[in-house]
C-alpha cells in the first residue's frame, strides 16, 4: 500500500553535476536508492497542476504566506492502461509540509480534474478522508482546472533503517501549457539549465550529523525553489514580453542560509 500521508520539512538546494556526483558517492555509504532507481537509474515523475483561471493558488504561493496549498495529479514512469495516478493536495504551514494523496485510475482522475466529477468512494484504493479534503479545496476555489504540465527525472534515496529521511535529485525539469494529459508524452520546455539538479532533503526530524557534515563539506546552501513557481514566473515574463528570451542562470547561494 503506497504511503498517502506525509508530514515533513523539505530543504532544497540547486547543485551542479560535479557536486551531484560527489554527494551521491557519499550517500551510497549511508543510504539506499529507491526501488524505482535500480542501478542508480532515473525515473520520470509527471504532474498536472490545477489552478484557478487567474492562477490564484500559485500567485498566493509566490507571496510566501504562512499557509499555502497546491493541487496536482501525479504519475510515475510510463503511462499505460494499467497505470494509477495520485491526486495530491500539498499544504505548507510555517515550513512544515503536509502532503495527502489518494490513488485514482486515469478515467476517474481526468473526470475529476477536468469536470469536477467525484470518483466512487467505494473503490478499495481510494483514501476517503483525503478525497474529502481535496473536494473541499475544489469546492471553495473558483473553477479549478489543469493549468500546467511539469515533469522531471529523479534519483531518490532512503536512509538505511530510517524511512523518514529521504533525499531526491531532480533534473531535466520541463513544462508545457498545452496537451494537458499524461498520454501526450513528457516533452516540455526546460525550466533550469542542463546539468543542474534540484536536491531535496525531506524529513520530519533533525538531519543526522553525517548529512549536516556532508552539506557543510560540499559548501551547498539552501535555495527557495518551486517548480510550479519557476514555470509560472517564466510564463508571465513571456506574456509581458513576447520577444523574451529565457536565460538560464545558476541560482545564487545566499549568505546565511546554510542548512
Amino acid at each position: 500500500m503506497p504511503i498517502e500521508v506525509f508530514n515533513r520539512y523539505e530543504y532544497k538546494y540547486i547543485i551542479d553535476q560535479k557536486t551531484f556526483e560527489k554527494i551521491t558517492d557519499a550517500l551510497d555509504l549511508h543510504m539506499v536508492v529507491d526501488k524505482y532507481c535500480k542501478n542508480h537509474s532515473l525515473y520520470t515523475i509527471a504532474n498536472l497542476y490545477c489552478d484557478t483561471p487567474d492562477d490564484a493558488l500559485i500567485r498566493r504561493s509566490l507571496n510566501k504566506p504562512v499557509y499555502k496549498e497546491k493541487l496536482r495529479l501525479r504519475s510515475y514512469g510510463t503511462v499505460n492502461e494499467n497505470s494509477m495516478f495520485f491526486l495530491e493536495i500539498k499544504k505548507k504551514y510555517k515550513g512544515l509540509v503536509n502532503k495527502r494523496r489518494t490513488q485514482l485510475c486515469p478515467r476517474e482522475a481526468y473526470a475529476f480534474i477536468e469536470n469536477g466529477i467525484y470518483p466512487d468512494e467505494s473503490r478499495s484504493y481510494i483514501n476517503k478522508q483525503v478525497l474529502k479534503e481535496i473536494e473541499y479545496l475544489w469546492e471553495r476555489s473558483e473553477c479549478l482546472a489543469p493549468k500546467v504540465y511539469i515533469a522531471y527525472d529523479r534519483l531518490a534515496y532512503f536512509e538505511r533503517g530510517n524511512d523518514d529521511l529521504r533525499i531526491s535529485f531532480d533534473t531535466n525539469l520541463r513544462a508545457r501549457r498545452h496537451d494537458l494529459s499524461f498520454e501526450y508524452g513528457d516533452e516540455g520546455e526546460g525550466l533550469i539549465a542542463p546539468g543542474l539538479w534540484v536536491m531535496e532533503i525531506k524529513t520530519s526530524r533533525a538531519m543526522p550529523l553525517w548529512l549536516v557534515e556532508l552539506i557543510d563539506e560540499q559548501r551547498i546552501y539552501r535555495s527557495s525553489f518551486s517548480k510550479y513557481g519557476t514555470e509560472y514566473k517564466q510564463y508571465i515574463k513571456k506574456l509581458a514580453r513576447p520577444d523574451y528570451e529565457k536565460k538560464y542562470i545558476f541560482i545564487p547561494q545566499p549568505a546565511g542560509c546554510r542548512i
Side-chain angles (χ1 to χ4, degrees), residues 35-97:
K35 63 180 180 180
Y36 300 109
C37 301
K38 295 181 179 179
N39 298 319
H40 291 71
S41 61
L42 307 183
Y43 64 96
T44 298
I45 297 176
N47 306 272
L48 288 175
Y49 283 87
C50 297
D51 215 325
T52 64
D54 62 350
D55 303 305
L57 294 185
I58 188 57
R59 287 191 294 106
R60 174 176 170 79
S61 178
L62 289 172
N63 285 331
K64 300 187 183 300
V66 173
Y67 172 80
K68 57 185 178 180
E69 56 193 353
K70 296 175 184 174
L71 180 66
R72 67 191 179 198
L73 184 65
R74 169 170 286 191
S75 74
Y76 292 86
T78 303
V79 173
N80 56 51
E81 60 183 9
N82 298 316
S83 296
M84 293 294 287
F85 299 156
F86 285 98
L87 186 60
E88 303 181 343
I89 181 170
K90 187 174 182 180
K91 309 173 185 180
K92 189 173 184 180
Y93 178 69
K94 292 185 176 180
L96 180 64
V97 175

Side-chain angles (χ1 to χ4, degrees), residues 210-256:
W210 65 264
L211 181 55
V212 174
E213 292 175 343
L214 175 61
I215 292 172
D216 186 65
E217 175 187 303
Q218 295 302 320
R219 304 185 68 81
I220 60 174
Y221 301 80
R222 284 170 55 184
S223 295
S224 177
F225 181 83
S226 162
K227 298 180 178 76
Y228 184 16
T230 298
E231 187 282 334
Y232 180 72
K233 286 185 284 187
Q234 291 183 0
Y235 169 68
I236 291 301
K237 287 180 180 178
K238 289 181 181 178
L239 289 181
R241 292 177 50 194
D243 60 342
Y244 168 72
E245 293 186 8
K246 178 174 59 181
K247 294 182 179 180
Y248 293 121
I249 61 172
F250 188 92
I251 296 180
Q253 301 177 341

